[in-house]
Amino acid sequence: MDTVQELRAALQAGHGFAGDAEHLDSELAAQLLRRVPVDQVADVAEVGTVIDLAAVAEIFAAYRGRVLLAADRDTADAVDETVYDLLARQGAE
């Protein structure tokens, strides 16, 4: 998974966790559709979309990690068990 398209395809195929495909798209859209505030237009060489590539890379890396984590069945089972235990504790309080 070296491209956003490959990551998106893996998530849409059911790799990763429930809702990841939709969340990836919404997080990327939020980052990619940020516009220059009107009072800062003079500070930008070209008016248009301002993209923080480091933030996009962090989003990509996080979802790629989730796909890899979900692919390791033992780790995914351990995460599921921990989440179940935490939810059970919250319900008991």
Side-chain angles (χ1 to χ4, degrees):
M1 287 176 298
D2 295 325
T3 67
V4 173
Q5 290 81 5
E6 290 173 344
L7 177 59
R8 185 178 287 122
L11 292 172
Q12 290 174 346
H15 304 288
F17 297 97
D20 277 355
E22 296 80 16
H23 292 130
L24 170 68
D25 286 341
S26 67
E27 286 187 43
L28 287 176
Q31 191 56 243
L32 294 173
L33 296 177
R34 288 183 41 208
R35 298 285 178 193
V36 177
V38 173
D39 62 339
Q40 296 177 6
V41 170
D43 299 334
V44 178
E46 182 178 312
V47 177
T49 303
V50 174
I51 301 171
D52 181 351
L53 293 178
V56 171
E58 288 173 6
I59 293 167
F60 183 86
Y63 281 93
R64 185 176 186 273
R66 292 172 65 89
V67 168
L68 297 174
L69 178 67
D72 181 354
R73 195 68 255 158
D74 291 337
T75 303
D77 289 344
V79 169
D80 288 344
E81 185 177 323
T82 302
V83 169
Y84 177 79
D85 289 345
L86 289 171
L87 291 174
R89 286 184 201 163
Q90 286 179 348
E93 294 177 359

